[in-house]
Amino acid sequence: MEQAEAAEMVVEALRKKLKSKSKFYFNDLSKILGMKPRAAKKYVNKMVEDGVLEYWSSGSTSMYGIPGTGKQAAAEHED
Amino acid sequence: MAKHDTPLLDQLESGPWPSFVSDLKQEAEKRAKNEAGHELQIPVDVVDDLLGILELSFKHGKTHWKHGGIVGVFGYGGGVIGRYCDQPELFPGVAHFHTMRIAQPGAKFYTSDYLRQLTDIWDRRGSGITNMHGSTGDIIFIGTTTPQLEEIYYEISHNMNQDLGGSGSNLRTPADCIGQARCEYACYDTQDLCYNLTMEYQDELHRPAFPYKFKFKFDGCPNGCVAAIARSDMSFIGTWKDDIRIDDEAVKAYVGGEFAPNGGAHADGDWGAFDIQKEIIALCPTGCMKYEDGKLEIDNRECTRCMHCINAMPRALRIGKETGCSILCGAKAPILDGAQMGSLVVPFVEVNADDDYQAIKDVIEPLWDWWMEEGKNRERLGETMKRLGFNALLEATGIAPVPQHVQEPRSNPYIFWKEEEVEGGWTRDIDEFRKDHQR
Ligand code: SF4
Ligand code: SF4
């Protein structure tokens, strides 16, 4: 799969879910891509590097989201 | 003069114990004076505001820190734990108060010069407050602002050849005991293996893709100075295959009182003369030792390498020569199901630097693949093992079941036969069966 295609798949899937959530586990991303975690990781790393995705963490777990999509408010259960 | 009144915190200083409140007040004063002449890059009153917001939290009975946030420097998905306060007008000094995890040097060996460099950076670019060390092992820098993160990372990486540690759903900073650098009990070079795996698994350390955190710890022997068996998802504990080496003359010297047992560690109390029967033979957990006619014997097949006799008589008893490590998996501190100790997965594996520790990596990687695929979000390896069964882990990693996997007969044999593994399968000739068994 091309990187651009993978990025498009992920962004489209995440945007669809934006109303209900803005932060996603790595597992959610590998499911969207339909890949084993190790293969998905290469694409996901690149998406972060390219600014398509960004990390969020509580310190103990990590999540991914589209940059600037109200992640902090979600963490505090405001939405 | 303190910036904020802190009557509730002040009470914490009144007991007989050392108080973090006193430490913080001292640090606040030190920053205000700035005798070292640092060009302070974050507010001078950061520590005063920390005391202030903590007092407010005590008063309200709730935290004023927001949950989560920024995680790292560019390209890193861990190493920084974002903290923002929700009362920035009242306490501007801690509006941002991020924690940084800095990888500790192997076995926490420092030179004083190195420590000074660390504290200099942190006094200048952070709050000056540290936690040496976090429970994973990292050097924890507590409290700085967003613009300082990249600057600090640049300085520690370029000037000190040091890196950020792990946080979030990453491989966490691997931690090791002092090992062969100083300790005669070490069955392998903990620092070399720890360093090798740290370098090999940089991507796992810095870019989160695990279901949850994952910790490696390396103990050179079963004494477990970094408590690998209790505190790491994967522990590497030194062991040996052959016999404990016995120096008969030295045994006699212990019995005769020439050498103090336990290296003299309990010499401050009067415990009477050393009694080898009572203190060694009777305390061997497997009862595999005897001392008769001035001669010590060990039935090594029964020895579980508990280290007791070696610790008590180190000049007389030494670890065997054929050394390696055991790999245990699934330990964790209490979060969901309570604390769990590691389960023995590989009883003995060679620790071979010459082939880049391949035998160990061959265990790690299939295990990660399995957990990454099967593990639920926020599930530690030990929880996945419990949920799916030890057998599932063995299958996924291709490790053959061995008797050491069985904790005790019948209660948790873990091993289930599959039809294709049993000669003749599950079916039987019913007529044959009926010959001996009535309906
Ligand atoms: S774990 Fe064993 S080898 Fe490591 S420092 Fe402790 S006693 Fe020595
Ligand atoms: S190491 Fe422990 S089990 Fe082994 S002989 Fe010594 S006391 Fe017994």
Side-chain angles (χ1 to χ4, degrees):
Chain A
M1 193 187 290
E2 291 288 317
Q3 180 68 31
E5 192 190 333
E8 211 173 293
M9 271 171 86
V10 167
V11 170
E12 201 190 291
L14 299 198
R15 288 222 176 272
K16 260 191 210 147
K17 295 184 190 165
L18 258 185
K19 277 213 183 76
S20 55
K21 55 178 181 177
S22 57
K23 296 195 268 86
F24 300 85
Y25 286 107
F26 178 80
N27 264 351
D28 302 330
L29 305 183
S30 44
K31 269 188 213 119
I32 292 169
L33 290 169
M35 292 177 192
K36 297 223 169 206
R38 236 174 234 276
K41 186 172 182 185
K42 296 208 178 75
Y43 291 97
V44 173
N45 279 351
K46 187 82 176 66
M47 287 177 218
V48 173
E49 203 183 309
D50 295 343
V52 175
L53 292 179
E54 92 185 349
Y55 296 121
W56 180 93
S57 175
S58 63
S60 66
T61 21
S62 309
M63 303 187 89
Y64 292 78
I66 297 173
T69 49
K71 285 179 294 188
Q72 193 57 43
E76 286 160 8
H77 305 290
E78 200 169 83
D79 51 21
Chain B
M1 233 326 257
K3 183 173 169 191
H4 305 284
D5 273 340
T6 55
L8 296 171
L9 293 184
D10 297 347
Q11 237 177 46
L12 295 178
E13 294 182 277
S14 61
W17 306 280
S19 165
F20 74 97
V21 175
S22 312
D23 284 353
L24 290 178
K25 288 181 178 171
Q26 196 185 330
E27 181 63 19
E29 248 173 68
K30 188 185 133 205
R31 280 183 78 80
K33 286 196 194 123
N34 190 14
E35 279 170 359
H38 289 304
E39 284 183 37
L40 300 179
Q41 301 297 308
I42 76 165
V44 59
D45 52 0
V46 49
V47 185
D48 303 87
D49 279 354
L50 178 66
L51 286 161
I53 197 169
L54 188 60
E55 177 76 18
L56 188 68
S57 290
F58 272 40
K59 207 168 118 193
H60 288 168
K62 56 188 157 208
T63 183
H64 285 289
W65 298 113
K66 297 185 176 201
H67 182 64
I70 196 165
V71 294
V73 295
F74 185 72
Y76 277 28
V80 173
I81 296 150
R83 285 292 175 257
Y84 302 89
C85 91
D86 63 10
Q87 294 291 348
E89 286 85 24
L90 286 175
F91 307 104
V94 293
H96 306 190
F97 196 71
H98 310 315
T99 290
M100 296 186 83
R101 292 203 179 142
I102 314 293
Q104 76 279 16
K108 306 192 180 87
F109 260 114
Y110 292 103
T111 60
S112 48
D113 179 54
Y114 184 92
L115 280 171
R116 211 165 282 125
Q117 286 182 56
L118 274 177
T119 50
D120 272 356
I121 292 177
W122 193 237
D123 281 342
R124 187 158 37 84
R125 298 199 174 277
S127 70
I129 304 167
T130 61
N131 169 11
M132 305 287 269
H133 294 247
S135 55
T136 305
D138 307 89
I139 300 156
I140 315 260
F141 280 178
I142 303 171
T144 193
T145 58
T146 308
Q148 292 306 313
L149 298 171
E150 291 285 353
E151 306 283 346
I152 291 165
Y153 173 65
Y154 185 92
E155 287 192 22
I156 61 154
S157 57
H158 288 72
N159 306 340
M160 301 181 67
N161 198 19
Q162 194 51 285
D163 198 0
L164 295 188
S167 66
S169 308
N170 274 331
L171 173 62
R172 299 302 184 82
T173 319
D176 54 350
C177 79
I178 207 156
Q180 287 173 341
R182 300 213 44 173
C183 183
E184 65 199 73
Y185 301 151
C187 300
Y188 70 96
D189 186 345
T190 49
Q191 293 189 51
D192 195 59
L193 178 59
C194 182
Y195 183 74
N196 183 294
L197 297 184
T198 304
M199 299 312 279
E200 175 89 21
Y201 298 122
Q202 282 287 298
D203 193 54
E204 283 73 10
L205 230 163
H206 297 308
R207 283 165 280 276
F210 286 150
Y212 204 16
K213 60 180 101 167
F214 193 95
K215 300 185 184 186
F216 281 155
K217 290 193 196 289
F218 307 86
D219 276 317
C221 82
N223 276 334
C225 291
V226 290
I229 195 170
R231 299 175 59 178
S232 55
D233 300 85
M234 200 163 186
S235 21
F236 303 86
I237 303 177
T239 189
W240 62 93
K241 263 185 172 175
D242 51 347
D243 296 351
I244 292 177
R245 286 174 278 171
I246 304 177
D247 175 341
D248 290 319
E249 289 309 306
V251 175
K252 282 197 193 111
Y254 277 107
V255 174
E258 274 166 63
F259 297 154
N262 293 293
H266 307 298
D268 51 347
D270 182 13
W271 302 93
F274 176 64
D275 179 344
I276 192 168
Q277 291 296 349
K278 196 170 123 217
E279 293 173 46
I280 308 293
I281 311 296
L283 294 183
C284 167
T286 61
C288 71
M289 309 180 84
K290 66 176 179 200
Y291 184 72
E292 277 169 18
D293 307 324
K295 180 131 180 85
L296 180 69
E297 275 176 48
I298 299 175
D299 179 0
N300 282 278
R301 282 177 59 84
E302 296 298 325
C303 163
T304 52
R305 287 93 175 114
C306 81
M307 297 298 291
H308 170 66
C309 60
I310 300 178
N311 289 334
M313 305 196 295
R315 295 174 75 156
L317 301 176
R318 293 169 66 193
I319 59 169
K321 283 184 173 160
E322 217 183 312
T323 56
C325 77
S326 302
I327 301 179
L328 289 88
C329 292
K332 65 181 188 75
I335 293 181
L336 287 184
D337 276 345
Q340 202 168 296
M341 298 277 266
S343 301
L344 183 67
V345 173
V346 183
F348 187 90
V349 61
E350 65 165 359
V351 183
N352 185 358
D354 294 337
D355 74 352
D356 209 27
Y357 303 111
Q358 203 49 53
I360 288 175
K361 291 172 189 170
D362 287 347
V363 179
I364 296 172
E365 289 167 22
L367 188 113
W368 274 348
D369 283 340
W370 176 69
W371 177 56
M372 285 169 80
E373 255 178 74
E374 301 291 339
K376 292 186 182 173
N377 295 325
R378 295 179 60 85
E379 187 173 69
R380 294 286 286 270
L381 175 66
E383 289 152 357
T384 312
M385 284 165 63
K386 244 175 131 180
R387 182 167 58 81
L388 299 177
F390 193 79
N391 209 32
L393 175 140
L394 291 183
E395 258 174 44
T397 50
I399 294 169
V402 290
Q404 287 95 327
H405 290 148
V406 181
Q407 201 170 349
E408 62 206 48
R410 295 193 177 270
S411 75
N412 72 333
Y414 284 133
I415 295 140
F416 297 94
W417 296 100
K418 290 209 202 73
E419 186 161 11
E420 63 268 22
E421 292 167 335
V422 179
E423 213 180 315
W426 291 160
T427 50
R428 62 178 172 213
D429 182 338
I430 190 69
D431 297 328
E432 261 318 293
F433 181 76
R434 281 289 159 248
K435 281 183 192 160
D436 296 325
H437 306 272
Q438 298 179 7
R439 264 183 89 97

